[in-house]
Amino acid sequence: MPERHRLSLPTGELELDIHDSAFALDDVMGFAARANAKRGFLFLSKVLGKHWPVTPAMMRKVHVSLADTVPELPGPVVFIAMAETAIGLGQGVFEAWLAAHPGREGLFLHTSRYRVGEAPIIEFEEAHSHAPRQFLHMPPDAHTRELLLHAKALVLVDDEASTGNTFLNLTDACRKLNPGIAHVHLATITNFMGATATAALSERFGLPVTMGAPVSGEYRFTPGQLASASAPAQLFDGSADRGASGEFGRYGLHRALTIPSGLAERLAGAVKPGERVLVLGTGEFMHPSYLLGAALERLGVDVVVQSTTRSPILTWGAVKAALTFPDNYGEGVANFLYNVTPGQYEHVFICHETAPKQALLDLADTLKARLLHFKTETHVEEVS
């Protein structure tokens, strides 16, 4: 018999049957209500380092678990992480796969809602999202571009699958560019499409599709009075420089990312025994915060990782607290930080790729945080 959950959300009635799980459900996810007229519920992950604080050790466990679901695939293999929520997850899965397959050639890219430089974009839609328009950048480096254009397999990574529509839209966009793609693997923490829809993926996509998810089941949602976001969540301007970088995954990566030598040791030197540390990513800039958190954890620091987000979520269920502030990319949309209150942590380190504009300075002041500007992979500048 499935493990059954029935919840009354402020936005409707949610029914969820868990058929199989490698983790206790409460350890990996909670339930929340979206401020989104398209979809009123959210399976809120507790292991992404996005809306919920999580230890780097637990994040690493999930990365390895998902990497282990990837079957033997023809190369080159391209891993694509879905913006914004699963960017850090996808990069972690890619790095875990590289570690387990020395000598294999792979490429990591993540989708984005910010255009970088003059690189052409490959656009697709996440229809249920509050910010539906997202895209891949065509890598400007010739070798990286060739990997994408001649890939035989895609590994698409997201935190959850509920319909598969976004994965299908992205696959179709990639196959128009590269008809030689012969296999797609979907790697998600939770798969709530149900057994019938999961079994039909290959027919639906028109090529072999496999699915790897530690938690699987099926949901039904009966909408009630859906909440509307208070302001637009996406104001895309293709000509605007948002301060986003191509170095951390938008233009493609062939190897694991690193953080500057000595950074964690320097920061840990100010942390006293018993003090708690939050390493906070910003928007799409997530994975360096995990890497810094993991380095601090290895030094014995009590540390968790999280990120700001553009996702409007109601304060209910797994969301106990919410801070709202202007976005640090200068897009003019609200950003949020959930389940964090000022003074909760003795130390907060905010990792960001954008210049330290007023929005970041104000957030740092609210959290009594230190800003760490990752100007490049090897150059991090602390903002006083």
Side-chain angles (χ1 to χ4, degrees):
M1 290 291 293
E3 174 187 335
R4 291 184 171 170
H5 300 263
R6 302 291 183 268
L7 296 100
S8 293
L9 281 65
T11 51
E13 301 295 316
L14 179 65
E15 303 174 72
L16 178 66
D17 292 345
I18 302 298
H19 298 148
D20 187 42
S21 181
F23 300 97
L25 189 67
D26 189 56
D27 289 343
V28 294
M29 62 166 280
F31 301 95
R34 296 177 186 260
N36 182 345
K38 297 179 182 178
R39 178 178 286 187
F41 63 92
L42 175 66
F43 301 118
L44 187 144
S45 174
K46 295 181 177 180
V47 295
L48 274 178
K50 193 62 175 174
H51 309 111
W52 187 276
V54 57
T55 64
M58 184 61 184
M59 293 176 74
R60 169 67 178 168
K61 183 177 181 180
V62 171
H63 297 165
V64 172
S65 176
L66 285 185
D68 286 347
T69 73
V70 179
E72 285 297 320
L73 297 173
V77 181
V78 173
F79 287 69
I80 303 177
M82 309 298 287
E84 72 177 8
T85 303
I87 288 175
L89 175 69
Q91 206 151 357
V93 171
F94 172 67
E95 292 181 3
W97 181 85
L98 281 181
H101 298 83
R104 285 295 306 272
E105 188 169 38
L107 171 65
F108 170 78
L109 292 161
H110 72 74
T111 69
S112 180
R113 292 183 172 93
Y114 307 112
R115 187 164 188 174
V116 177
E118 300 299 322
I121 58 174
I122 306 156
E123 190 165 356
F124 66 101
E125 186 176 72
E126 185 180 8
H128 71 265
S129 174
H130 54 287
R133 185 178 185 181
Q134 61 174 302
F135 44 82
L136 285 173
H137 288 82
M138 178 64 73
D141 171 73
H143 175 64
T144 305
R145 189 166 56 250
E146 284 301 301
L147 284 177
L148 177 61
L149 294 177
H150 294 92
K152 299 300 182 186
L154 298 178
V155 177
L156 307 183
V157 184
D158 209 348
D159 59 315
E160 59 98 5
S162 51
T163 66
N165 291 339
T166 305
F167 285 138
L168 177 59
N169 291 344
L170 176 56
T171 299
D172 286 346
C174 289
R175 292 181 75 192
K176 288 177 184 176
L177 199 69
N178 173 9
I181 294 169
H183 191 112
V184 173
H185 180 73
L186 309 180
T188 64
I189 300 170
T190 57
N191 169 23
F192 296 142
M193 290 191 296
T196 300
T198 299
L201 283 171
S202 295
E203 181 180 359
R204 184 180 172 197
F205 279 55
L207 79 173
V209 178
T210 48
M211 164 67 78
V215 181
S216 61
E218 192 167 7
Y219 80 94
R220 293 163 295 282
F221 182 69
T222 304
Q225 184 63 46
L226 297 183
S228 296
S230 57
Q234 186 174 26
L235 297 170
F236 176 72
D237 180 353
S239 63
D241 181 359
R242 301 297 185 193
S245 170
E247 185 165 342
F248 297 94
R250 292 184 183 91
Y251 280 177
L253 290 167
H254 312 276
R255 54 172 179 76
L257 273 176
T258 60
I259 58 172
S261 175
L263 176 62
E265 289 77 5
R266 178 168 59 81
L267 296 174
V271 180
K272 298 175 183 177
E275 290 185 331
R276 295 163 300 171
V277 174
L278 170 66
V279 182
L280 188 65
T282 44
E284 294 184 1
F285 192 69
M286 296 175 62
H287 195 60
S289 61
Y290 159 74
L291 295 176
L292 177 56
L296 290 169
E297 191 175 56
R298 289 191 293 270
L299 296 171
V301 174
D302 181 5
V303 59
V304 291
V305 174
Q306 211 175 316
S307 175
T308 65
T309 176
R310 68 165 73 215
S311 299
I313 308 172
L314 302 180
T315 305
W316 179 90
V319 174
K320 306 299 184 187
L323 295 173
T324 305
F325 43 90
D327 77 297
N328 60 292
Y329 290 88
E331 194 178 11
V333 300
N335 271 209
F336 308 92
L337 177 59
Y338 298 112
N339 294 311
V340 175
T341 56
Q344 182 177 350
Y345 298 94
E346 282 76 19
H347 300 271
V348 179
F349 305 127
I350 301 177
C351 302
H352 56 101
E353 62 179 334
T354 59
K357 299 177 183 178
Q358 195 60 48
L360 277 172
L361 295 171
D362 290 346
L363 178 61
D365 184 62
T366 297
L367 298 176
K368 301 297 183 282
R370 296 163 69 175
L371 291 174
L372 302 174
H373 183 193
F374 283 69
K375 302 183 83 167
T376 68
E377 186 180 356
T378 58
H379 181 197
V380 175
E381 185 175 279
E382 184 168 352
V383 181
S384 59

